[in-house]
């Protein structure tokens, strides 16, 4: 809000080893996350930003997440891709770091997981 400029992750977690430890675990182990883990972490970061007005992702981590996302998006299920798209809408730093080929991969995942009502034919 205008009265409360967006707080950074560090300013909101001073003295909170649990929260700092959690984001550090994500930073260190993001490459080991499967498709569901990537979608869940992105969703969690988006909730922190939207609900608590905390900017939990800086540019360096955003680029790292985009690389992890590109690896995982091809095997995400419909729920995972829905959570990912919702999160990318909230996390400008990550969506801004996503290349056109990254967005193409996300679009392909949406198309792959989309289901048509019975009787409809995909053309």
């Amino acid at each position: 809000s205008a009265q409360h400029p967006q707080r950074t992750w560090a300013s909101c977690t001073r003295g909170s080893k649990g929260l700092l430890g959690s984001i550090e675990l994500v930073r260190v182990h993001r490459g080991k996350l499967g498709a569901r883990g990537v979608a869940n972490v992105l969703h969690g970061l988006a909730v922190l930003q939207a609900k608590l007005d905390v900017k939990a992702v800086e540019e360096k981590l955003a680029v790292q997440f985009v690389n992890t996302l590109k690896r995982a998006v091809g095997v995400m299920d419909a729920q995972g891709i829905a959570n990912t798209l919702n999160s990318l809408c909230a996390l400008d730093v990550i969506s801004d770091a996503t290349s056109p080929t990254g967005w193409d991969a996300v679009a392909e995942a949406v198309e792959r997981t989309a289901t048509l009502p019975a009787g409809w034919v995909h053309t």
Side-chain angles (χ1 to χ4, degrees), residues 2 4 10 12-13 22 25-26 34 41 47 57 60 62-63 68 71 82-84 86 88 96 101 113:
H4 303 287
C12 290
T13 57
S22 295
L25 282 172
V26 168
V41 168
V47 167
V57 181
K60 182 178 178 183
V63 170
T68 303
R71 176 188 49 79
N83 286 348
T84 297
N86 188 43
L88 290 173
D96 290 348
T101 57
T113 60

Side-chain angles (χ1 to χ4, degrees), residues 16-36:
S16 176
K17 292 180 182 178
L19 289 175
L20 281 175
S22 295
I23 197 66
E24 187 60 25
L25 282 172
V26 168
R27 181 185 320 273
V28 170
H29 296 290
R30 75 193 172 289
K32 297 176 187 173
L33 294 173
R36 181 175 287 188

